[in-house]
Amino acid sequence: MPELTASQAHRAYLKRTRFGALDGLRALAILAVLIHHSALAQDSGAWSRGFLGVDLFFVISGFLITTLLLRERERDRAGAISLRGFYWRRALRILPLYYLVVTLAGIYFVIGRGHLEVLQIWPAYYLFFANFLTEHIPTLYPTWSLSMEEQFYLIWPLVMIWLPPRYWGAVVLFGVALNVVAVTGVLDALGITAFQLGPLWVHLPDATYAPLLLGAGLALMLHQPRGFALLWRVFGHRWMPFGLFGILLALIFGLLPQILAGVPYLLVHLAMTGWLATLVLREDSWMHPLLRLRPLVRVGVVSYGVYLLHLLVLHVVRLLGEQIGLAQDSAIFLLLYWGGTFLLAELSFRHYERYFLSLRHKPLGRMGHGQAQGRQSKDATATGAAGLERLGKEQDP
């Protein structure tokens, strides 16, 4: 089959209603997190980098959210983005399971186990300020990343609405640079310092908004013909996903220092963004068959539930292990922990989350079908209404 030109590949990209590798990527990300929160995790070496699974989630989320916003804006006659629809879809995807887990964990630990010392921080979880907490209710520590995502989801669509498109890339670059500079202490010299707000410690140095912004920047580049053509020339080869994956592994397991901060951390995020680019530029790369394996895809589909529920399952398995003398690094313990997590996440997705997901594209969350009239001439360069709905429904992070 002859190789596509950049222009042909770009048209195919804009019409694409599903990115076939993303659920597999999510599966790899959540598996890394599960290893990080297990007895297999180490302070150094190959088993010490599982936390980077969260960063990969961030890159994917930034890319997908921005792609959805760009395509919605493209097919709207006035070039508008529906904030009402966007926030409705975000709320239905994130809030039902999140608030259930926060409520149940709070009741169990604060009331049931008598950890009254963390009562004052409980409300911070409901407001998505967990990334500014210095202590956590047990099992709710992973919510720091969801807080960062929600803060990004709150601000980024407003940037795309209030600022002309020519400034979006500059905002991405500024945000990434600010994240890198924050760890150097330069902001302190400028008088921008962390401050206490009740139980919250509001600070920037430990923030990782950069991968979200890099994912957004990738979506901005791929949406434009010139940006897509540039990335197609560099990353468009079928073998390239293995090349970028190899670079990523070399960086995190050999070339970079153990403590990732500043520029070394940025290099990891850039490698992740490049890897994602190789997998969304085309659907026939050499890595796609691996990432489309059904077990991986299913793990990716329920990865949100796995992320929220895995420490709750770990807590229960630990209590059981203490009663029967089960070592946390034993195969039986890990089977109960990981198997129980996937089972609970599957049940949650099928019997709880799916109901709310079915409401995301009801009238309140629908992406302005009426405003798309008169835009048929742009069908060659923009996803149609049905395709956009499908992309949002199936792969909205």
Side-chain angles (χ1 to χ4, degrees), residues 209-255:
Y209 297 102
L212 285 162
L213 289 167
L214 288 171
L218 175 62
L220 295 178
M221 286 194 69
L222 290 177
H223 195 71
Q224 299 300 322
R226 291 178 61 184
F228 186 95
L230 174 62
L231 293 176
W232 179 257
R233 286 195 296 271
V234 178
F235 297 119
H237 305 286
R238 287 187 174 91
W239 54 267
M240 190 59 77
F242 284 105
L244 264 293
F245 184 55
I247 291 174
L248 178 61
L249 292 180
L251 287 173
I252 62 180
F253 293 133
L255 299 179

Side-chain angles (χ1 to χ4, degrees), residues 94-112 118-131 133 136-147 150 304-305 307-312 348 352:
I94 298 295
L95 299 186
L97 183 59
Y98 176 85
Y99 279 151
L100 177 64
V101 170
V102 167
T103 301
L104 292 178
I107 291 173
Y108 173 71
F109 285 104
V110 176
I111 300 176
V118 295
L119 181 60
Q120 66 168 341
I121 68 174
W122 195 2
Y125 295 100
Y126 292 97
L127 299 174
F128 289 97
F129 290 147
N131 56 319
L133 292 173
H136 283 273
I137 293 174
T139 74
L140 292 185
Y141 173 75
T143 59
W144 71 267
S145 63
L146 296 175
S147 294
E150 288 304 299
Y304 177 60
Y307 188 72
L308 268 176
L309 297 167
H310 74 281
L311 288 190
L312 287 171
S348 170
Y352 181 65

Side-chain angles (χ1 to χ4, degrees), residues 127-208:
L127 299 174
F128 289 97
F129 290 147
N131 56 319
F132 297 130
L133 292 173
T134 56
E135 60 178 339
H136 283 273
I137 293 174
T139 74
L140 292 185
Y141 173 75
T143 59
W144 71 267
S145 63
L146 296 175
S147 294
M148 294 191 67
E149 283 198 341
E150 288 304 299
Q151 291 156 18
F152 174 77
Y153 296 154
L154 176 65
I155 296 172
W156 182 238
L158 298 177
V159 170
M160 294 182 68
I161 290 173
W162 291 342
L163 292 181
R166 64 180 179 274
Y167 294 122
W168 295 346
V171 172
V172 169
L173 291 176
F174 175 78
V176 172
L178 185 63
N179 248 219
V180 175
V181 168
V183 302
T184 65
V186 171
L187 296 182
D188 291 340
L190 296 175
I192 304 175
T193 59
F195 60 91
Q196 193 81 32
L197 183 64
L200 307 178
W201 180 246
V202 183
H203 62 297
L204 190 61
D206 293 333
T208 48

Side-chain angles (χ1 to χ4, degrees), residues 282-318:
R282 61 191 310 154
E283 290 293 302
D284 59 348
S285 80
W286 293 354
M287 188 175 281
H288 270 77
L290 297 176
L291 294 177
R292 285 174 173 154
L293 292 173
R294 291 185 65 180
L296 271 185
V297 170
R298 193 59 198 174
V299 171
V301 168
V302 301
S303 59
Y304 177 60
V306 172
Y307 188 72
L308 268 176
L309 297 167
H310 74 281
L311 288 190
L312 287 171
V313 176
L314 177 59
H315 176 75
V316 173
V317 176
R318 278 176 175 167

